[in-house]
């Protein structure tokens, strides 16, 4: 049985590749999804990929993941800096969580320096562009590799 990894993307990430390429690069979220799916094609992992602009929808997806997922890769977008509700939902999820940021939030405005999600994450990847999503997948490929 392949293990399911949820990939959750927060607000405005549907605009990836369409605006502000100097900060977020030129790849679209669909292209990121395609690369991730290709990477897990012959592996023990299977992906469910989501994007929502709504905090409650992201929380519902995390609750849903409790029943079926072996891990979460999350880019909470701006909710990283505001949402204790997403942190609470992740705290009720029992498998590993990796937080990804495309930009280096520590090099940007001070309001982006703190993420409520990071205290729950096994690891945080920031500033490596969309490569960060693939690196997060490497974590799960290694964690769940069959010897
Ligand atoms: O660097 C990241 O991945 C962020 O999570 C992206 C969020 C931002 O609020 C966080 O501080 C850091 C913003 C996502 C908005 O994405 C856009 C992409 C293209 C054009 C406009 C917005």
């Amino acid at each position: 049985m392949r293990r399911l990894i949820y990939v959750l993307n927060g607000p405005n990430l549907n605009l990836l590749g369409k605006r502000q390429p100097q900060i977020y690069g030129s790849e679209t979220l669909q292209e990121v999804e395609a690369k991730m799916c290709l990477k897990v094609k012959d592996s023990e992992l299977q992906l469910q990929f989501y994007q929502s602009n709504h905090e409650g929808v992201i929380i519902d997806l995390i609750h849903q993941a409790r029943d079926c997922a072996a891990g979460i890769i999350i880019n909470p977008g701006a909710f990283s800096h505001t949402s204790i509700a997403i942190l609470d939902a992740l705290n009720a999820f029992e498998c590993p969580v990796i937080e990804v940021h495309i930009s280096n939030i520590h090099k940007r405005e001070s309001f982006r320096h703190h993420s409520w999600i990071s205290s729950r994450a096994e690891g945080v990847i920031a500033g490596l562009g969309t490569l960060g999503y693939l690196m997060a997948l490497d974590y799960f490929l290694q964690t769940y590799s069959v010897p």
Side-chain angles (χ1 to χ4, degrees):
M1 259 271 282
R2 296 174 85 194
R3 293 179 199 255
L4 188 59
I5 305 297
Y6 268 36
V7 185
L8 303 180
N9 291 282
N12 298 309
L13 284 159
N14 53 311
L15 298 177
L16 205 63
K18 298 171 186 163
R19 298 266 191 291
Q20 296 183 267
Q22 69 287 2
I23 302 177
Y24 299 114
S26 55
E27 213 163 42
T28 65
L29 203 57
Q30 288 70 29
E31 287 166 339
V32 175
E33 179 179 7
K35 278 192 180 174
M36 292 180 86
C37 288
L38 191 64
K39 192 173 168 87
V40 299
K41 194 165 64 80
D42 298 316
S43 78
E44 295 300 310
L45 303 184
Q46 194 182 338
L47 303 180
Q48 293 266 27
F49 201 93
Y50 300 98
Q51 187 277 328
S52 177
N53 294 322
H54 306 279
E55 189 175 17
V57 172
I58 293 168
I59 291 165
D60 287 343
L61 286 166
I62 296 167
H63 292 175
Q64 188 181 300
R66 279 162 46 82
D67 297 326
C68 58
I72 294 178
I73 296 171
I74 184 166
N75 182 346
F79 289 149
S80 317
H81 320 300
T82 60
S83 182
I84 295 168
I86 291 178
L87 172 64
D88 286 343
L90 289 170
N91 278 333
F93 176 74
E94 286 173 5
C95 296
V97 173
I98 304 292
E99 179 181 359
V100 172
H101 295 284
I102 297 165
S103 63
N104 182 351
I105 52 177
H106 303 288
K107 256 174 118 175
R108 300 183 64 191
E109 304 95 322
S110 58
F111 61 81
R112 295 186 202 275
H113 293 179
H114 178 260
S115 164
W116 289 101
I117 310 309
S118 301
S119 65
R120 166 61 184 90
E122 267 57 45
V124 181
I125 302 167
L128 301 182
T130 53
L131 178 63
Y133 288 86
L134 297 171
M135 294 173 78
L137 258 191
D138 274 328
Y139 168 83
F140 283 111
L141 285 168
Q142 195 160 318
T143 300
Y144 291 131
S145 71
V146 179

